[in-house]
Amino acid sequence: MEPSIKSRPVYGTLSPQPGAGHLLIADAEGAEAILELAKSAPAGFFDAAEIVFIPRASGDRYLAALQALNPARFYEGPSIAAALPRLRQTFATAHMGLRLYLAGTEGLIGQAMQAALEAGIDHASIQTEHRGSLARRVQCVHCKGITEDVTTQPATCAHCGLTLLVRDHYSRRLAAFQGVCINAEDRSEEVPVEEVFR
């Protein structure tokens, strides 16, 4: 799919790559991408792999199938925020040849990608595949707060309460879409809310 704006990330399809190690990170339906990758993975692929899985509300049904892949290490976390310190430590001690596979929501992909790039992981070693919800991670340009899992247009900032137009502009540095006040001229103006990012 062609992005609507140049800053929008473009996602592909995960495929096994040769490497010294493999770190697969997914949330909810992102697990499906890992399970599909496993069908074409060479023998021994998961002997040098770690899976980090964030089940979210709908992902528990994938847990047993992911564990059955018998990766060298498996971590199940409650949220990407909870997993980030572990990921940063993994990236900090990673050896040349690590391959990174990110699958699931844009929020997970963006935050994991951000941590990897900050640690100096070569972007050519990272594959991404979007699966599941289209909910967005949005930064309010006014208060700088981040609101997770935004599904509506406009959205309400969880920090300052402004009504935000969720733009297609994506900040890779922040791993978030940008939200700007939609009724700055007249705050009493009510703007109809529509669920558009499911």
Side-chain angles (χ1 to χ4, degrees):
M1 176 173 95
E2 190 67 28
S4 57
I5 193 166
K6 285 185 179 181
S7 68
R8 280 293 316 253
V10 177
Y11 304 107
T13 302
L14 300 187
S15 63
Q17 301 296 310
H22 308 279
L23 177 56
L24 302 99
I25 304 169
D27 65 354
E29 286 80 9
E32 293 173 348
I34 293 176
L35 294 170
E36 286 182 20
L37 173 144
K39 293 175 185 173
S40 60
F45 179 89
F46 286 97
D47 294 344
E50 177 176 1
I51 295 176
V52 174
F53 182 53
I54 313 301
R56 296 176 58 105
S58 62
D60 285 340
R61 66 181 184 259
Y62 302 109
L63 195 55
L66 288 175
Q67 290 171 328
L69 296 174
N70 293 316
R73 288 172 306 288
F74 187 90
Y75 169 80
E76 177 189 357
S79 67
I80 184 60
L84 280 173
R86 177 188 181 93
L87 293 177
R88 287 189 179 105
Q89 177 63 31
T90 300
F91 296 148
T93 58
H95 297 288
M96 286 291 287
L98 175 71
R99 300 293 181 216
L100 181 58
Y101 307 82
L102 309 175
T105 62
E106 286 187 308
L108 172 122
I109 293 171
Q111 291 176 82
M113 172 88 72
Q114 179 186 41
L117 295 175
E118 285 173 359
I121 303 290
D122 181 9
H123 76 294
S125 299
I126 304 172
Q127 289 187 44
T128 60
E129 183 172 338
H130 183 268
R131 292 282 184 115
S133 172
L134 297 175
R136 292 183 171 187
R137 184 171 193 261
V138 177
Q139 185 216 30
C140 173
V141 301
H142 308 285
C143 75
K144 308 304 181 204
I146 301 280
T147 303
E148 303 285 349
D149 297 323
V150 170
T151 60
T152 63
Q153 180 73 286
T156 301
C157 176
H159 302 273
C160 68
L162 287 176
T163 302
L164 303 176
L165 169 69
V166 180
R167 297 190 58 227
D168 270 349
H169 176 73
Y170 183 82
S171 167
R172 293 179 198 279
R173 182 179 64 83
L174 300 170
F177 289 89
Q178 302 299 283
V180 296
C181 185
I182 197 168
N183 57 356
E185 300 288 325
D186 178 6
R187 296 276 174 82
S188 66
E189 178 188 359
E190 296 215 13
V191 182
V193 175
E194 184 180 352
E195 183 127 351
V196 293
F197 311 118
R198 295 184 193 158

